[in-house]
Amino acid sequence: MRALAALTARRQELLHRDGFALHAILDQAALLRPPAGSCVMAGQLSHLAGLAARPNITLQVLPLTTAWPILSPPFTLLGFPGPGDPDTACTVSHNGLNHLTRDDRHVQALCGTYAILSKAALPADTSTLRRLLRR
């Protein structure tokens, strides 16, 4: 549990680094299903809203009213500025293990999936997240 907390804290620090950018697409269902009590959910939504207000962070929501345009397990795409650092994809296997790959075909396929999901999601400035926080 301590290792997970330390990893989470290190990931949060990245959000404040110069040159770092994050673009996340969230399913609206993830914003509606509380992981614990309503106080925990309210805190998480408030934290997400604060992050979404940062200029280097974009959060889009795929609304419940939109059919999934493509089926895909969760994934992360990592892009690096240096030519010696190829883009990397991180997927989760059926047993919950993370799998990193720099295989260009795999990375490009997930870039295509990401583009489809981004087009289907609401623009960040009209995010469902803001509407949920006004409740």
Side-chain angles (χ1 to χ4, degrees), residues 20-22 50-58:
F20 180 85
L22 173 72
L51 291 174
R54 296 180 54 94
N56 64 325
I57 298 176
T58 301

Side-chain angles (χ1 to χ4, degrees), residues 34 36-43:
S38 59
C39 288
V40 172
M41 187 63 161

Side-chain angles (χ1 to χ4, degrees), residues 28-42 44-45:
Q28 184 179 0
L31 300 173
L32 298 173
R33 187 180 321 281
S38 59
C39 288
V40 172
M41 187 63 161
Q44 288 185 344
L45 289 173

